[in-house]
Amino acid sequence: MKTNAWYPVRPSTRASVALAVALTVFAAGCKKKVVVPPPPPPIAAPEAPKVNQPAPSTAAVTDFTVEPSTIERGQTANLRWATTGATEVSINNGIGTVAASGARSVRPDVTTTYTLTATGPGGNATRTATVSVTAPPPPPPPAPVVRSNVGTLESRVASDLQDALFDYDSNNIRDDARAALTVDAASLQKIFADFPNASINLEGHCDERGSAEYNLGLGDRRASAVRDFLVQLGIPAAKIKTISYGKERPQCTEANESCWQKNRRGHFSANQ
Amino acid sequence: MTRKTVFLIAALPVIGAALLFGQNVDIREWITGKGGKPAIAVTDFRGSGAAQPLMGTFNSTLFSDLDSSSLFEMKPKSNFPLSNPQRPEDLRPEDNKQGLALVDWAGPPVNATHIAFGYSAAVNGVLVLYGYLYDTRPENSQAPQLLYGRYTGSLDAAGATKVAHEFANDIIQKFGGAASLLGSRIYFSSNRSGADEIWAMDWDGNNQKALTNLKSLSIMPGVSPDGSRVAFTSYAKGTPRIMIASTENGRLLPFYNQEASLNTTPNFTPDGKQIYYASSASGLAQIFVAGLDGQGFRRISRREAIAVEPKVNPKNSNVVLFVSGPGPQQIYKMDAEGSNVERITNGEGEASNPSWNPDGQHIAFSWTRGYAKGDWNVFVMDIGSKQYIQLTHSEGRNENPNWAPDGRHLVFTSTRNGRPQLYTMLADGTQVKQLTQTGTNRYPVWGAK
């Protein structure tokens, strides 16, 4: 980045800079030494500078700063400058001619080095100032589209869909299950409207009394019966995946009819 | 023989009916050893030198193996004479009442039909056991020696146990040819690691280790006849599907699952070349058969009820048992084309888990007959006569009986001590031993190895 400071400087300008530096060194040398070797004066040499009396014909940049030196893209920074002895002062990067001293705000999109050139009859002076532009941090992920009471798929499945309960060793949709599933079908339509890409697991469960092997078949039968009922009510079959758990995943583990009834069910869960 | 004659007279009408089905033996007679077991006197073996300290282990193991085979009437050692032969050279023809003549063992108070004797020695740091089995009865005195074996093992308790198992195995095979349990293994589901995995253990409950690491729900294994692989049901891919694993290292082997919500209860055919299973590919779970890789599947059963748990008869591949409705689940049989369906259990209660005895004639199964729904007990039935006997009596739920290769022992699941654990017992319901303690252990099958 440091070398970049020179890139905006044109070759002609660079030559004049070299000259100015040489002169400055030469002038400094004169002040300290008592015995001065005779200067080669074929060309009209400038007079040795005197204290408090700078040569009016040589332009100088006394100040060129940018504050702050680092901004985020979109922010502004202030350039400030002061020059002496210049007949013209300009700043590159689209700013152009400016007053001998002044300030200006800039808003570069990328890191930019500004070069101030002070032109005087006896020589030019330049100075650079760099504004580092950093990218702003990435934005957070987009907020979910806000609809009223959408919640998550899991919470909706858990809160909006009721189990369909069954008799022992049966996959018959009872009247109470019919009522529950009719409500479930309406809820499913809303859920699928809110989550167009979602699909639902329909789990078939059994109580602990039948054999585990037979109950895998029975749970499958129950899940299919519930799915078929929902499809009749307009739910797309492709949205429902049936899984039989037999009696492997009871929600209630007591050995009484109340508990067994809870386990003889078609149950909805979100398909991850 | 006398006992059997008495039985025949008492039960003549039953036997008459049974004869119509073939040479059926009463289920109790079959279970208890067909009327009259060999009465065996197992002497205490002694060892020379460094072998002697190991003989306590040897003697108890030999006795236990023979006793648990249920093949023998074990004669009590308290009635034995003071001396016993250690080598055939010790035997004397005349009865001197000191135990060195076979008649000393045949007559009272021992009343043994057979005697096991022998001795051991430490030879070059190896335990060598010389074992003999003789028939004590005078009518067989022309050729009394039934068995002579030389067995070697390490000179420690493990070696003594090994040679005892081997000698006992040879004696057992001499009577009825039943295979020994030695080397057989039991496969089952256990959740002790957090998820239900397929596990394996030795027949006596030793060396329990997990075969699978699927971190899902993996249950209901079936084992191939050679014991080299297990087929089971796993939820590892969401829905219940059939998976196959090597019993050597647990490595999974390919199996094609039909497009279905349910593929389950896989069981190998006795020739080890096919797998029967249940699938909902046609809607209701039905019985299918496929190659070992699941390819070439074909539907067998055409029931209007759930059909699961297919089990092919080990002696006749055209007889397939399965569990089905309509109505309460019962055990049915069909032929390999799904025809000639016949209900095996009588319709009482609910029945499940048929397991073929290696003889192809008897099954063990679970039944709720006589109890409330879900109150399962283990029964054994003669498939021909349909006589049955109840082995457990509602000590918790008793399910999934599975025959050992010897056809005399069963492994099963019971909740008698709380959570489901695995137990073994003899086919007469005696000698119940608990094999598992940790976690919940279910669905045992007994493999040849």
Side-chain angles (χ1 to χ4, degrees):
Chain A
M1 291 305 283
K2 281 180 180 167
T3 53
N4 275 352
W6 291 103
Y7 289 164
V9 181
R10 289 186 164 74
S12 59
T13 315
R14 185 177 294 170
S16 57
V17 168
L19 177 58
V21 169
L23 288 172
T24 308
V25 169
F26 175 69
C30 284
K31 274 197 301 187
K32 285 191 175 178
K33 303 271 184 179
V34 178
V35 179
V36 181
I43 304 169
E47 292 178 12
K50 295 185 177 82
V51 178
N52 294 333
Q53 209 175 348
S57 58
T58 301
V61 179
T62 55
D63 185 30
F64 185 39
T65 58
V66 62
E67 185 67 32
S69 61
T70 299
I71 59 170
E72 274 183 13
R73 185 180 304 136
Q75 292 182 310
T76 56
N78 284 314
L79 291 172
R80 289 179 188 283
W81 64 92
T83 63
T84 55
T87 56
E88 184 183 350
V89 177
S90 67
I91 301 174
N92 68 347
N93 285 316
I95 295 176
T97 303
V98 295
S101 295
R104 181 155 183 160
S105 69
V106 293
R107 188 186 291 182
D109 287 335
V110 296
T111 297
T112 302
T113 297
Y114 294 90
T115 302
L116 180 142
T117 304
T119 308
N124 301 336
T126 64
R127 198 184 285 189
T128 62
T130 299
V131 185
S132 295
V133 179
T134 60
V145 180
V146 178
R147 292 190 214 93
S148 58
N149 299 325
V150 166
T152 65
L153 179 61
E154 289 75 12
S155 68
R156 288 283 296 280
V157 168
S159 64
D160 296 1
L161 300 175
Q162 325 167 49
D163 289 348
L165 302 182
F166 290 88
D167 287 338
Y168 184 77
D169 195 10
S170 169
N171 63 314
N172 182 45
I173 305 286
R174 305 191 311 213
D175 286 347
D176 60 335
R178 186 175 295 266
L181 291 174
T182 303
V183 175
D184 286 345
S187 301
L188 278 169
Q189 298 282 19
K190 288 181 192 142
I191 289 172
F192 289 137
D194 289 341
F195 301 94
N197 298 322
S199 63
I200 301 287
N201 283 339
L202 186 41
E203 305 173 357
H205 295 271
C206 307
D207 76 32
E208 64 176 354
R209 292 176 295 171
S211 77
E213 296 83 357
Y214 182 87
N215 276 348
L216 283 182
L218 179 59
D220 184 67
R221 204 74 192 121
R222 286 176 175 163
S224 300
V226 170
R227 181 200 56 202
D228 292 349
F229 187 85
L230 292 171
V231 168
Q232 279 179 17
L233 296 179
I235 303 298
K239 289 286 200 181
I240 301 173
K241 181 183 178 189
T242 60
I243 302 177
S244 173
Y245 283 100
K247 61 176 182 178
E248 297 295 327
R249 292 283 186 262
Q251 64 166 338
C252 183
T253 55
E254 292 160 30
N256 56 54
E257 172 52 28
S258 154
C259 188
W260 291 330
Q261 175 62 87
K262 287 178 188 163
N263 289 335
R264 294 193 303 268
R265 59 178 182 151
H267 176 69
F268 299 91
S269 63
N271 186 358
Q272 299 303 329
Chain B
M1 295 304 285
T2 312
R3 204 171 129 196
K4 186 161 189 177
T5 309
V6 170
F7 170 81
L8 281 170
I9 293 165
L12 216 54
V14 175
I15 294 295
L19 285 174
L20 294 174
F21 297 95
Q23 294 293 321
N24 288 310
V25 177
D26 179 86
I27 187 79
R28 283 169 186 78
E29 291 284 292
W30 177 77
I31 278 175
T32 54
K34 300 183 181 174
K37 298 176 183 178
I40 191 167
V42 182
T43 64
D44 276 336
F45 287 41
R46 301 184 71 251
S48 60
Q52 177 57 25
L54 307 175
M55 297 317 287
T57 299
F58 172 86
N59 287 320
S60 61
T61 304
L62 176 62
F63 189 92
S64 167
D65 280 4
L66 295 176
D67 189 22
S68 67
S69 77
S70 83
L71 286 173
F72 304 103
E73 178 189 348
M74 306 299 290
K75 286 301 184 184
K77 294 185 179 183
S78 56
N79 288 340
F80 288 3
L82 292 175
S83 308
N84 59 259
Q86 298 190 87
R87 300 176 297 175
E89 298 93 297
D90 298 337
L91 289 170
R92 299 176 187 178
E94 73 279 9
D95 177 5
N96 65 1
K97 304 295 184 192
Q98 289 178 13
L100 296 180
L102 291 175
V103 292
D104 296 344
W105 299 85
V110 184
N111 294 322
T113 56
H114 297 83
I115 178 175
F117 61 87
Y119 67 101
S120 70
V123 180
N124 298 326
V126 172
L127 178 67
V128 182
L129 186 284
Y130 304 89
Y132 303 87
L133 180 70
Y134 271 61
D135 190 323
T136 61
R137 292 166 293 190
E139 61 267 33
N140 296 325
S141 61
Q142 292 307 306
Q145 181 176 306
L146 297 179
L147 177 66
Y148 160 62
R150 181 180 182 277
Y151 308 88
T152 58
S154 53
L155 195 57
D156 54 18
T161 303
K162 171 182 177 284
V163 297
H165 283 324
E166 290 175 354
F167 183 40
N169 191 21
D170 284 349
I171 294 173
I172 288 166
Q173 295 208 347
K174 211 72 190 170
F175 293 92
S180 164
L181 298 182
L182 191 61
S184 66
R185 297 177 89 202
I186 293 167
Y187 301 92
F188 58 102
S189 304
S190 179
N191 72 351
R192 70 187 75 174
S193 67
D196 278 277
E197 304 282 358
I198 304 300
W199 284 63
M201 63 183 169
D202 293 348
W203 61 281
D204 55 4
N206 285 324
N207 297 319
Q208 301 190 15
K209 64 170 189 180
L211 277 183
T212 62
N213 185 26
L214 294 164
K215 297 184 170 63
S216 176
L217 175 62
S218 299
I219 51 178
M220 302 174 184
V223 62
S224 66
D226 66 358
S228 68
R229 50 184 88 178
V230 284
F232 54 98
T233 301
S234 180
Y235 288 70
K237 293 187 175 173
T239 55
R241 290 160 64 92
I242 293 167
M243 299 183 91
I244 313 261
S246 159
T247 58
E248 184 92 17
N249 51 26
R251 199 166 52 84
L252 293 174
L253 303 165
F255 186 86
Y256 176 77
N257 278 269
Q258 293 190 66
E259 283 294 327
S261 53
L262 176 67
N263 292 297
T264 189
T265 59
N267 284 292
F268 292 84
T269 52
D271 65 7
K273 292 178 179 170
Q274 289 180 303
I275 289 180
Y276 275 74
Y277 63 97
S279 174
S280 64
S282 51
L284 190 56
Q286 293 292 303
I287 307 302
F288 288 76
V289 64
L292 293 181
D293 58 1
Q295 301 285 352
F297 56 85
R298 175 166 66 88
R299 181 173 170 181
I300 300 293
S301 70
R302 298 189 178 276
R303 309 276 300 161
E304 292 180 2
I306 292 160
V308 292
E309 288 199 274
K311 302 287 182 74
V312 177
N313 186 303
K315 303 284 191 187
N316 181 354
S317 61
N318 202 31
V319 176
V320 183
L321 296 182
F322 62 102
V323 172
S324 188
Q329 58 180 96
Q330 298 285 312
I331 295 172
Y332 288 78
K333 80 172 182 183
M334 61 183 170
D335 63 28
E337 300 305 318
S339 306
N340 297 311
V341 175
E342 178 192 339
R343 195 180 68 214
I344 297 297
T345 43
N346 65 12
E348 293 179 72
E350 296 184 321
S352 66
N353 309 146
S355 168
W356 282 108
N357 187 282
D359 69 6
Q361 183 65 29
H362 298 86
I363 60 167
F365 63 106
S366 311
W367 207 1
T368 64
R369 180 195 171 279
Y371 297 89
K373 283 188 179 73
D375 201 351
W376 296 95
N377 278 298
V378 174
F379 286 71
V380 170
M381 176 184 277
D382 181 323
I383 282 288
S385 69
K386 300 202 171 56
Q387 291 183 74
Y388 56 83
I389 188 165
Q390 183 176 349
L391 302 188
T392 63
H393 297 273
S394 218
E395 312 91 342
R397 291 196 305 272
N398 301 283
E399 297 176 79
N400 293 102
N402 199 268
W403 288 103
D406 71 355
R408 313 296 305 174
H409 286 81
L410 289 160
V411 64
F412 64 105
T413 305
S414 179
T415 60
R416 61 187 62 193
N417 290 322
R419 288 190 293 190
Q421 299 294 350
L422 304 187
Y423 298 77
T424 54
M425 65 180 169
L426 274 173
D428 62 2
T430 64
Q431 294 190 28
V432 177
K433 291 174 186 158
Q434 184 171 349
L435 300 187
T436 58
Q437 315 282 343
T438 313
T440 290
N441 300 279
R442 303 179 293 166
Y443 309 119
V445 287
W446 206 318
K449 70 179 177 90

